[in-house]
């Protein structure tokens, strides 16, 4: 059993993190948190809190990373939506049993120490979904 709690964040693929950040801070007047490199995902990210959710800006750190590939194919824009779950191990076991195509069968390291796992967009109606649990 698991529960989806809220939209944790919206992941936006950008070419230039500093430039993208400026739009959110200087034009929209939002406050950006610090940057973090998540090596396993080949990204540098910056979170911008927005009420109970956050915007995650993602810049690729390598031409063969998922963000670079996404931008090559689609240009900059929304790359994934992350849903906060109460128990990611239970969520993955439950979804696997339901035959949902998982990208990650086991939780991986996410920004800020979250446990994350991705569901394939072909299994979700065209949206790359990230599950995220924060302890
Ligand atoms: C730091 C962390 C955090 O929050 O803590 C993060 O967010 S890391 C965020 C970055 N990390 C990730 O995205 C990791 C998980 N992503 C992946 O493993 C990959 O990007 C895949 C989603 C499997 C896509 O891989 P790849 O680009 O090699 O596949 P592909 O181009 O052949 O795509 C297969 C089909 O899926 C579609 N597709 C690909 N990426 C998509 C996306 N982001 N949203 C919706 N659909 C997408 C393609 O259009 C294609 O459909 P058609 O066949 O119809 O054309
Ligand atoms: Co994310």
């Amino acid at each position: 059993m698991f529960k989806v709690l809220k939209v944790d964040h919206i992941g936006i693929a950008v070419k230039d993190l500093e430039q993208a950040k400026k739009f959110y801070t200087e034009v929209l007047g939002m406050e950006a948190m610090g940057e973090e490199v998540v090596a396993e995902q080949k990204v540098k990210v910056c979170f911008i809190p927005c009420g109970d959710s956050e915007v995650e800006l993602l810049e690729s750190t390598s031409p063969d990373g998922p963000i670079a590939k996404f931008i090559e194919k689609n240009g900059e824009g929304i790359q994934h939506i992350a849903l906060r779950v109460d128990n990611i191990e239970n969520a993955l076991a439950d979804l696997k049993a339901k035959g949902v195509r998982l990208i990650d069968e086991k939780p991986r390291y996410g920004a800020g120490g979250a446990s994350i796992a991705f569901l394939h967009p072909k299994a979700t109606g065209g949206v790359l979904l990230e599950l995220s649990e924060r302890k």
Side-chain angles (χ1 to χ4, degrees), residues 9 41 56 66 70 73 79-80 103 110-111 121-122 126 128 130:
H9 63 263
Q41 299 289 344
E56 179 188 35
F70 179 87
K73 197 167 172 183
Q79 191 253 355
H80 68 270
I103 292 172
K122 291 290 165 199
L128 175 59
E130 174 188 335

Side-chain angles (χ1 to χ4, degrees), residues 56-78:
E56 179 188 35
L57 301 178
L58 305 115
E59 180 190 298
S60 191
T61 55
S62 158
D64 68 346
I67 295 302
K69 279 197 202 161
F70 179 87
I71 290 175
E72 201 175 82
K73 197 167 172 183
N74 308 286
E76 296 177 293
I78 296 178

Side-chain angles (χ1 to χ4, degrees), residues 20-31:
K21 206 198 278 190
K22 273 191 184 162
F23 176 76
Y24 287 87
T25 56
E26 292 176 14
V27 181
L28 294 180
M30 297 166 81
E31 201 176 326

Side-chain angles (χ1 to χ4, degrees), residues 2-10 53 80-86 88 91 95 115-117 119 124 127-134:
F2 74 100
K3 236 183 137 158
V4 174
L5 303 174
K6 64 171 191 170
V7 173
D8 187 88
H9 63 263
I10 295 172
S53 299
H80 68 270
I81 291 179
L83 300 176
R84 175 85 62 95
V85 294
D86 59 351
I88 196 164
L95 293 171
S115 289
I116 64 168
L119 311 184
T124 64
V127 177
L128 175 59
L129 281 184
E130 174 188 335
L131 303 181
S132 172
E133 180 188 349
R134 287 177 202 266

